[in-house]
């Protein structure tokens, strides 16, 4: 899965981590349009810290959709960082490589949104994975399957909510990577199984879920809560 190339992205606000990125092109984090968008959003206000009923509000318009994606990418990155920090019992070298590559991709996705949103971003969120036994292969992989399947359906549902074509293009790149993650995890669970009726609709396409539907599934993992009630619906 590894491309053999190294890219430098920020792991958090103060720490730098140099990581190999599979499935991600060299220019993924270095394209002028997103940098300009970061300046545009950043110049229009300060960081998002407003809460609604104890939940962070991602804001309005396109950057609320991007913040929604940013929150999900923070969650996925946090999960894989924990999974890779101490692999489950019996993990093979191939499984370790796959999970490490996926972790690196999710970090890259998280940092992409953090950099694009610049000043108009959600804060660093905290997550609760207490329901996951990180020493158990089944628990880790089935949670990974849930997160990846949810991520694909989330991007499929959020794409139509974006007005700026550049953001839609980049979201399209990311969801294609997430779909590969989902297929990889399913294959790790059951060799040769890359999809299923639970994630494919009657037309043979990946399922689409609204932000509300996604959060209903993912909210249990959020220690720092967010709300999606103010996101665009069309």
């Amino acid at each position: 899965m590894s491309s053999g190339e190294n890219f430098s992205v920020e792991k958090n606000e103060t720490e730098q981590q140099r990581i190999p990125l599979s499935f991600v092109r060299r220019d993924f984090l270095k394209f002028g349009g997103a940098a300009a968008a970061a300046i545009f959003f950043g110049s229009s206000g300060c960081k998002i810290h407003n809460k609604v009923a104890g939940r962070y509000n991602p804001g309005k318009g396109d950057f609320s959709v991007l913040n929604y994606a940013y929150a999900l990418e923070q969650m996925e990155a946090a999960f894989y960082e924990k999974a890779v920090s101490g692999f489950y019992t019996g993990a093979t070298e191939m499984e370790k490589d796959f999970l490490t590559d996926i972790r690196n991709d999710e970090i890259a996705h998280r940092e992409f949104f953090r950099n694009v949103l610049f000043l108009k971003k959600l804060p660093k969120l905290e997550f609760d994975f207490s329901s996951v036994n990180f020493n158990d292969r089944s628990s880790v992989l089935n949670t990974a399957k849930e997160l990846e399947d949810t991520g694909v359906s989330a991007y499929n549902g959020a794409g139509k909510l974006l007005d700026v074509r550049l953001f839609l293009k980049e979201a399209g790149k990311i969801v294609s990577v997430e779909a590969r993650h989902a297929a990889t995890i399913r294959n790790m669970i059951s060799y040769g199984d890359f999809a299923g009726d639970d994630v494919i609709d009657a037309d043979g396409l990946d399922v689409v879920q609204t932000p509300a539907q996604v959060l209903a599934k993912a909210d249990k993992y959020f220690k720092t809560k967010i709300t999606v009630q103010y996101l665009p619906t069309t």
Side-chain angles (χ1 to χ4, degrees), residues 43-121:
S43 66
S44 62
C46 60
K47 290 183 179 180
I48 294 176
H49 289 296
N50 56 312
K51 288 187 175 181
V52 177
R55 291 174 175 265
Y56 279 105
N57 175 15
K60 301 178 180 179
D62 269 17
F63 75 83
S64 71
V65 181
L66 299 181
N67 262 313
Y68 161 62
Y70 177 43
L72 295 178
E73 295 296 352
Q74 285 192 58
M75 177 182 65
E76 288 186 293
F79 169 78
Y80 285 108
E81 284 178 319
K82 189 168 179 62
V84 169
S85 69
F87 291 103
Y88 51 76
T89 301
T92 66
E93 290 305 309
M94 180 178 291
E95 289 175 340
K96 291 178 181 179
D97 286 344
F98 284 165
L99 291 172
T100 300
D101 278 350
I102 294 175
R103 176 205 63 182
N104 295 341
D105 290 342
E106 301 299 359
I107 290 174
H109 296 168
R110 179 192 69 194
E111 295 306 298
F112 166 76
F113 286 110
R114 191 182 71 83
N115 289 326
V116 168
L117 288 161
F118 192 43
L119 296 178
K120 279 285 193 177
K121 65 180 184 293

Side-chain angles (χ1 to χ4, degrees), residues 136-154:
D136 179 72
R137 183 180 188 272
S138 178
S139 182
V140 171
L141 294 186
N142 279 292
T143 302
K145 173 184 172 182
E146 177 187 12
L147 296 183
E148 296 298 346
D149 289 345
T150 300
V152 172
S153 65

